Amino acid sequence: MRVMIRAMIALGAALVAVTAGWAAPAGADAASCPVYSARTWLPSPGLDGWAENLLVADGSVWVPRTLRNVVERYDDSGRLRASIVVTAPGSIRQGPDGMVYVASGDSTVNMIPGAPRTGAVVRLDPRAAQPIARVFATGLGMPNGLVVESDGTVFVADGVLGLVRLRADGSIDTEWSARAPQNLAPTPVIDGTGMNGLIAVGDDLFLTMTMSSTGRVLRVPIDNPAATSSAADLTAPVPAILDDLAVVDSTTLAVASAAGQVHLVDLRSHRVCSSSVGHPLTALAVVRGRPGELLATSETGQVITLRRQ
């Protein structure tokens, strides 16, 4: 169901991307916008290989395969080293304690009205030869994006509940979460639905929505989530299907799109550049020691190296 829904929506967005080829949004200088070349680093394991996210850490690449209910760990040469059972895994992040945190329950089944809140965040020890996922937090709807702060606080982009803050003990901070962006509660600022990708830059969280009429990225002040504002509109005046995002540097975000684009956002000027790479992207990660290079996951299951030209 997840694949069918997103495939139908992605078709319309992909048509926009195909007719545009490579384009910079209004206000961007096309001559200075980067272009990325794409090369498959890891082929898809099959039709159900959907790779929802990735983590590059300590010489390993971790890939949640949502439809297969596993998180896979590969070494830096692409050899599979471990496979960990996690129900419908979404985002994956490493915490300050060295543990790896994974959103569990990233499935559209959990969006059915009245469905029990079976979404969770699990964590595992990456140093174990065969890691085991253990529950960190429960009571979530459709958890997708994750941020793990230095004090152990976890923020979750939940496709049912909206943006949720978890305390270091795994309990939900209901007061903070009630002031944060809610799903299916549109406002002039929250121009979309399906809270998806999440990243922290300084004192702010940056949040994407799966469906937005302008491809909007939200800026959420951690100390005052009620003061959420628009950080950028990536595809205005056309809609977009956005997924996860990565911090390229202290002032630049890279956002993955199901229409096969990498959107770069300058947080100071709000300038946006877009590069089409020909794959329906789900997530991006910066590779240390490789400037100008990103690693990306895709709905079709490949892990892709994107190199800035």
Side-chain angles (χ1 to χ4, degrees):
M1 183 177 178
R2 176 189 178 94
V3 175
M4 291 178 62
I5 291 173
R6 289 193 60 172
M8 292 174 64
I9 300 170
L11 179 59
L15 290 175
V16 174
V18 168
T19 56
W22 179 88
D29 178 4
S32 63
C33 286
V35 175
Y36 285 92
S37 65
R39 177 177 59 84
T40 297
W41 179 74
L42 191 70
S44 175
L47 295 177
D48 62 348
W50 183 304
E52 177 62 21
N53 206 259
L54 78 164
L55 169 67
V56 181
D58 302 324
S60 294
V61 178
W62 301 77
V63 180
R65 297 205 181 271
T66 308
L67 302 180
R68 292 189 167 198
N69 297 311
V70 296
V71 172
E72 295 176 336
R73 180 177 67 189
Y74 297 87
D75 64 21
D76 56 11
S77 65
R79 289 176 294 183
L80 181 63
R81 293 301 190 183
S83 184
I84 303 100
V85 174
V86 177
T87 302
S91 184
I92 182 167
R93 296 288 183 263
Q94 190 166 33
D97 54 1
M99 300 289 281
V100 169
Y101 292 69
V102 187
S104 171
D106 184 20
S107 168
T108 50
V109 172
N110 290 333
M111 296 184 72
I112 298 173
R117 294 182 180 174
T118 58
V121 174
V122 299
R123 60 183 175 185
L124 54 91
D125 185 349
R127 296 159 295 192
Q130 179 54 53
I132 298 174
R134 305 187 188 280
V135 174
F136 168 73
T138 59
L140 300 172
M142 182 184 167
N144 193 334
L146 287 181
V147 163
V148 185
E149 293 279 79
S150 59
D151 64 354
T153 299
V154 177
F155 294 97
V156 183
D158 190 306
V160 175
L161 303 179
L163 185 56
V164 177
R165 180 182 184 272
L166 302 175
R167 301 182 183 92
D169 64 359
S171 62
I172 296 176
D173 184 340
T174 55
E175 191 276 332
W176 188 97
S177 303
R179 295 186 293 128
Q182 306 293 302
N183 197 51
L184 296 178
T187 69
V189 173
I190 305 172
D191 180 23
T193 186
M195 306 307 173
N196 196 320
L198 192 63
I199 205 76
V201 181
D203 297 327
D204 296 312
L205 299 170
F206 290 87
L207 172 67
T208 63
M209 294 169 284
T210 302
M211 292 174 282
S212 168
S213 62
T214 59
R216 178 158 294 178
V217 178
L218 299 175
R219 182 196 297 262
V220 184
I222 293 174
D223 290 341
N224 184 16
T228 294
S229 61
S230 171
D233 288 313
L234 305 186
T235 59
V238 298
I241 305 172
L242 304 181
D243 215 306
D244 219 325
L245 64 175
V247 178
V248 177
D249 55 48
S250 61
T251 61
T252 309
L253 300 180
V255 184
S257 162
Q261 292 180 306
V262 175
H263 301 285
L264 296 179
V265 183
D266 187 313
L267 297 177
R268 297 166 300 184
S269 65
H270 302 279
R271 179 176 177 272
V272 178
C273 282
S274 302
S275 176
S276 292
V277 298
H279 297 271
L281 302 179
T282 56
L284 300 162
V286 172
V287 182
R288 289 184 180 178
R290 297 182 184 178
E293 191 169 294
L294 297 169
L295 205 59
T297 46
S298 68
E299 295 180 0
T300 47
Q302 297 100 327
V303 180
I304 304 154
T305 298
L306 302 177
R307 182 164 297 166
R308 187 168 176 163
Q309 301 300 292

